[in-house]
Amino acid sequence: MMTIIRIGVDIEKSVFHVHGVDRQGKCCWSGKYSRAKWVDQIKKKVPQEAEIAMEACASAHY
């Protein structure tokens, strides 16, 4: 089983794109979630010690 060590989150107005990789940089998980659901999905799928990085587009602060 691959363990997710790093998560990238692209924040948009109403949808967040999430991408998780393992130690080798292989994609383990990706998804598209509403603002209300993305944190719940991370809590379910990602170990607490994983790094999370966010990128916000210009309209993310809408």
Side-chain angles (χ1 to χ4, degrees):
M1 179 178 182
M2 291 184 265
T3 301
I4 297 171
I5 64 157
R6 191 171 302 116
I7 296 292
V9 182
D10 187 7
I11 302 169
E12 297 178 8
K13 281 184 184 178
S14 59
V15 176
F16 289 15
H17 294 267
V18 182
H19 180 86
V21 297
D22 65 9
R23 292 197 183 283
Q24 287 75 40
K26 289 181 72 177
C27 180
C28 299
W29 168 56
S30 64
K32 182 176 169 182
Y33 302 98
S34 69
R35 282 185 177 260
K37 304 271 184 191
W38 77 280
V39 172
D40 290 336
Q41 291 301 314
I42 287 179
K43 285 180 184 178
K44 287 179 189 176
K45 298 178 187 272
V46 180
Q48 283 186 335
E49 61 274 3
E51 296 176 328
I52 299 176
M54 294 184 170
E55 176 187 7
C57 67
S59 64
H61 305 292
Y62 171 74

